[in-house]
Amino acid sequence: MEGKRTIFSGIQPSGELTLGSYLGAIKNWVELSEEYNCYYCIVDMHAITVRQNPAELRKRTLEQLAQYIACGLDPKKNTIFIQSHVSAHAELAWILNCYTMYGELSRMTQFKDKSSRNAENINAGLFTYPALMAADILLYQSDLVPVGDDQKQHVELTRDIAQRFNSVYGEVFKMPEPFIPKVGARIMSLTSPENKMSKSDKDPGGCIYLMQKPEDIMRSFKRAVTDSDRKVKYDPVSKPGVSNLMTIYSVAANKSYDEIEAEFEGKGYGDFKPAVGEAVVELLRPIREEAERLLKDKNYLVSVYKEGAERASRAATRTLRKVCKKVGFVDR
Ligand code: AQP
């Protein structure tokens, strides 16, 4: 790991992983994992900012671990772990809460969006979520944070918090950069293409899940919302549904928008939508099959997350000790 730059990223086990989680985040994690020293986390502490069923959260956490590995993340080369197993995350989050401003948190789009969707449970954790995310990233002295477009604002706030802390105490934290993919940074819902495809979406028809069966994937694509124009053309403003399908096809089949427009020239959506569905079925098939195999080997999954937590704890504790000293806590 010596000399390599560091990456941190995580996904909440707040629902089944979607094609959006894969194209916006995990696919890039895999591509970057050879070159960087990577910490990939299952952020279960973030997930409880929205009420979760405990048994389901436990189950999904293990499933998510199996899916990370099935997507191509090698646990020998990457530190894969569960956030709540490394207590430094909660400890640094508290400290950073004291360096994060109320006004900054109030401006976060995700907070505004999630509090309007969960009006009965606007808890303090939902509000201070970005301070925990800053702790996740800064604990590992991360250089790069590969995320989808929706998380860019939180990475920018992380930088502001780090800068504020460093300006008082010296260079404690490295300044992280967001890494946003060029194509696939915001995959939209298939049924309401003005909204992002989200794990916790109440309309399952709008989402494609990594573990979904081929026939269900095909059905969702055939029902995807398009428009009355019948032309396969990339124009996110006036043709959001078709453009979203083109983005998905572009990444799944590794074709440019021009190539896709040429391929479907003179053809209608009746040809286009099943072609996108088939490309996605083939993209996800090996992931689903490998995840199903891994989920039968619970002992292996436990060994991966235990080893991951040990490695992550060692790195995180180094930063936490430094921070505690700087703010004036007595040595343990
Ligand atoms: N639709 C998407 N397109 C591109 N990237 C996406 N990501 C999520 N959805 C899309 C990226 O995947 C990572 C997962 O983020 P997260 O689970 O920590 O939080 P999120 O962004 O809030 O994801 P969801 O699916 O919308 O979860 P819920 O429904 O629980 O809020 C991030 O890098 C994100 O950008």
Side-chain angles (χ1 to χ4, degrees):
M1 304 290 174
E2 281 302 295
K4 282 190 174 178
R5 300 207 312 149
T6 299
I7 280 183
F8 175 91
S9 200
I11 297 181
Q12 309 177 65
S14 48
E16 300 282 326
L17 290 185
T18 70
L19 188 63
S21 339
Y22 180 67
L23 298 181
I26 308 174
K27 186 170 178 292
N28 299 296
W29 299 2
V30 176
E31 284 164 15
L32 295 162
S33 71
E34 286 295 324
E35 218 186 304
Y36 288 82
N37 173 26
C38 300
Y39 293 88
Y40 293 132
C41 190
I42 299 169
V43 288
D44 54 347
M45 287 157 65
H46 282 287
I48 64 164
T49 55
V50 173
R51 200 70 78 229
Q52 303 290 334
N53 172 309
E56 275 174 27
L57 180 62
R58 231 183 314 274
K59 181 166 169 280
R60 273 202 308 266
T61 301
L62 266 198
E63 286 171 355
Q64 194 165 308
L65 174 65
Q67 288 165 32
Y68 278 8
I69 303 169
C71 285
L73 293 175
D74 179 349
K76 291 258 174 290
K77 293 187 187 156
N78 303 279
T79 303
I80 304 179
F81 68 105
I82 300 170
Q83 186 184 32
S84 62
H85 291 184
V86 180
S87 57
H89 289 250
E91 293 180 60
L92 183 61
W94 176 256
I95 297 172
L96 295 183
N97 262 314
C98 305
Y99 295 81
T100 308
M101 299 300 137
Y102 175 84
E104 289 173 321
L105 294 173
S106 313
R107 285 195 289 277
M108 293 296 112
T109 311
Q110 179 174 288
F111 172 68
K112 288 191 243 174
D113 179 43
K114 287 207 170 165
S115 48
S116 70
R117 279 193 279 137
N118 299 283
E120 72 300 339
N121 183 23
I122 306 177
N123 60 73
L126 192 63
F127 188 60
T128 61
Y129 181 114
L132 176 58
M133 182 161 159
D136 300 337
I137 296 167
L138 299 176
L139 271 176
Y140 300 96
Q141 303 292 347
S142 311
D143 295 281
L144 215 59
V145 188
V147 285
D149 203 30
D150 61 315
Q151 291 293 336
K152 189 169 166 225
Q153 197 184 30
H154 287 164
V155 181
E156 278 163 0
L157 180 54
T158 296
R159 288 169 58 86
D160 292 342
I161 297 169
Q163 197 130 41
R164 185 169 301 135
F165 196 93
N166 286 354
S167 70
V168 180
Y169 302 106
E171 290 301 296
V172 178
F173 297 124
K174 193 173 261 183
M175 208 51 73
E177 297 280 344
F179 178 91
I180 317 259
K182 285 196 183 66
V183 184
R186 191 176 283 259
I187 301 297
M188 310 310 275
S189 156
L190 299 189
T191 46
S192 45
E194 63 288 355
N195 298 321
K196 151 183 119 105
M197 187 182 285
S198 236
K199 277 182 250 100
S200 52
D201 191 348
K202 299 276 181 292
D203 172 15
C207 285
I208 299 296
Y209 300 99
L210 295 197
M211 299 302 276
Q212 225 172 340
K213 292 195 187 74
E215 56 273 27
D216 296 335
I217 295 178
M218 289 304 293
R219 191 174 320 115
S220 293
F221 276 105
K222 282 181 189 157
R223 289 184 186 162
V225 167
T226 47
D227 48 52
S228 52
D229 180 43
R230 292 184 49 81
K231 214 166 168 206
V232 178
K233 187 170 176 307
Y234 189 75
D235 181 352
V237 177
S238 62
K239 296 169 72 67
V242 170
S243 302
N244 186 42
L245 293 176
M246 284 182 73
T247 299
I248 294 172
Y249 189 53
S250 164
V251 190
N254 199 16
K255 291 180 184 177
S256 68
Y257 293 138
D258 286 345
E259 285 170 326
I260 299 169
E261 283 175 9
E263 183 178 345
F264 294 96
E265 173 87 62
K267 294 181 187 163
Y269 300 151
D271 290 312
F272 176 53
K273 294 204 277 188
V276 183
E278 272 157 30
V280 171
V281 164
E282 291 320 313
L283 178 76
L284 299 186
R285 187 191 302 282
I287 296 173
R288 175 174 48 84
E289 288 174 357
E290 179 63 0
E292 281 167 354
R293 191 188 70 75
L294 288 166
L295 276 167
K296 293 192 188 114
D297 192 352
K298 177 120 190 277
N299 289 342
Y300 170 69
L301 294 176
V302 172
S303 74
V304 168
Y305 72 61
K306 285 200 167 172
E307 203 188 313
E310 272 174 35
R311 264 192 276 165
S313 282
R314 276 198 295 277
T317 304
R318 275 198 294 275
T319 302
L320 184 64
R321 289 250 161 83
K322 218 191 253 182
V323 171
C324 288
K325 205 178 175 105
K326 292 286 188 188
V327 299
F329 294 169
V330 172
D331 274 350
R332 297 177 196 193

